[in-house]
Amino acid sequence: KEAGPSMAVEILVLENVPEASDVFNAVATEQDAKKISEHRLEEKRKTEVEKGTKVSLEDMFSRIKAGEVLELNVILKTDVQGSLEAVREAVIKLGTDEVKTKLIHAGVGGIKETDVNLAAASNAVIIGFNVRPETKAIHFAKEKGVDIKLYKIIYDLVNEVKLAMQGLLA
């Protein structure tokens, strides 16, 4: 009936992992539980919408035109360590007076849900070079509004990021 701090408990049939400080309520019927759950999800969606949109390469020009000094946060994933070092240097060198590039995370391997979660939290764009995102990561990125760009040729990657930073990308 009660679980205090440091007391182990097991809760079954949760759809999502609860966050720290989430409140659990006991209700009489399953219908009441669904009503409370739906209400909380709707409130959470409203607050996420109010926070604003995530940064994408396509919306950079309008924000630069408005006079904002932007920082393009990037999460970089590549296939091998050698590619990682080359792409990392290329992306860092793209920074200008109007737009600074900041590498939030760089790693080798496919794009996972944790990468999307980090991008959502840090308002970053995920750039993948010779890698593919996991299916769950694609869906999670759409849900969170995270931009994932995939490239196979380093010159295409550099040119598209450069164009976006200069505001020339449609």
Side-chain angles (χ1 to χ4, degrees):
K1 293 196 176 208
E2 187 176 314
S6 300
M7 184 175 192
V9 295
E10 184 177 7
I11 302 173
L12 304 175
V13 292
L14 290 178
E15 289 182 17
N16 298 316
V17 178
E19 295 182 22
S21 76
D22 276 354
V23 176
F24 288 88
N25 297 65
V27 293
T29 66
E30 187 176 342
Q31 291 173 342
D32 292 339
K34 285 183 180 181
K35 285 180 186 176
I36 291 171
S37 175
E38 289 171 2
H39 176 72
R40 288 181 180 170
L41 284 173
E42 185 62 33
E43 291 297 316
K44 187 175 182 181
R45 284 188 194 120
K46 285 180 184 177
T47 57
E48 286 178 1
V49 168
E50 290 172 1
K51 286 181 186 176
T53 59
K54 299 290 178 194
V55 172
S56 69
L57 292 179
E58 284 78 15
D59 73 352
M60 295 287 291
F61 179 62
S62 60
R63 295 178 70 186
I64 292 170
K65 209 172 187 182
E68 295 180 44
V69 175
L70 296 176
E71 187 171 75
L72 177 61
N73 295 330
V74 176
I75 294 175
L76 180 62
K77 298 292 283 201
T78 65
D79 56 347
V80 293
Q81 189 65 33
S83 297
L84 179 64
E85 292 170 10
V87 174
R88 177 191 298 155
E89 289 302 315
V91 168
I92 289 173
K93 289 179 183 178
L94 289 175
T96 65
D97 291 337
E98 294 88 16
V99 182
K100 310 287 182 200
T101 55
K102 181 177 179 185
L103 202 60
I104 301 295
H105 172 70
V108 175
I111 299 168
K112 302 181 186 306
E113 282 181 275
T114 53
D115 299 316
V116 174
N117 207 13
L118 178 60
S122 59
N123 213 18
V125 174
I126 299 175
I127 296 177
F129 183 72
N130 283 333
V131 294
R132 292 183 175 267
E134 294 178 345
T135 306
K136 288 181 180 180
I138 294 170
H139 296 301
F140 196 51
K142 286 179 184 174
E143 181 183 310
K144 294 285 186 179
V146 172
D147 198 18
I148 298 177
K149 295 290 187 177
L150 303 174
Y151 302 94
K152 297 224 177 264
I153 301 171
I154 193 168
Y155 300 111
D156 291 342
L157 182 155
V158 171
N159 286 336
E160 188 168 328
V161 174
K162 187 187 295 184
L163 290 173
M165 291 174 73
Q166 293 172 348
L168 301 175
L169 188 63

